[in-house]
Amino acid sequence: MGGTGGSQTYTNGTDVIISDNATVESPITVSGRTGNGSATTPIAVNIVHTYKGDLKVDLVAPDGTIYNLHNRSDGSADNINQTYTRDLSSEALNGVWKLRVNDNAAFDTGKIDTWSITF
């Protein structure tokens, strides 16, 4: 790992339980890289949840900047299995990136199944 040659995907496949009315985070540590993210950085999210309209999903950069990915849309549909693209060109690659999920309602729960970011 390291250097600036080619893109590399970083993944966290550890399940994180999403309880009602709670906020959870799943971290990915990037190290040994130089430079910043791209203007079209892909973030792949796989969340198992029975009511995705309950969920707010953010990417938190190492400097604390928050990039919203999903904000309580799609009502009663199940699960989030989507790749989002965000402009991370102002963000240094190295550090701890976090997927933050906030469940804003009772009755439906789930888990962060896996997520990844490609630089």
Side-chain angles (χ1 to χ4, degrees):
M1 292 187 190
T4 55
S7 64
Q8 194 167 323
T9 299
Y10 299 85
T11 303
N12 186 333
T14 302
D15 290 354
V16 177
I17 299 301
I18 304 167
S19 301
D20 285 335
N21 297 301
T23 300
V24 298
E25 293 182 340
S26 175
I28 289 177
T29 300
V30 176
S31 63
R33 299 291 300 270
T34 57
N36 290 2
S38 77
T40 57
T41 302
I43 304 106
V45 177
N46 185 347
I47 294 174
V48 177
H49 194 279
T50 51
Y51 196 98
K52 68 182 178 179
D54 289 357
L55 302 178
K56 182 172 183 271
V57 181
D58 296 312
L59 175 70
V60 183
D63 69 358
T65 302
I66 295 172
Y67 297 87
N68 182 253
L69 304 178
H70 175 89
N71 194 3
R72 301 194 69 183
S73 58
D74 301 321
S76 63
D78 291 350
N79 307 331
I80 297 174
N81 189 4
Q82 185 172 341
T83 298
Y84 302 90
T85 301
R86 292 294 179 270
D87 182 352
L88 302 180
S89 58
S90 66
E91 300 290 345
L93 297 177
N94 290 335
V96 179
W97 294 82
K98 298 174 189 169
L99 188 72
R100 178 180 292 162
V101 179
N102 175 247
D103 183 313
N104 292 281
F107 305 117
D108 292 277
T109 59
K111 66 180 178 178
I112 301 172
D113 188 40
T114 185
W115 75 282
S116 64
I117 190 165
T118 303
F119 294 118

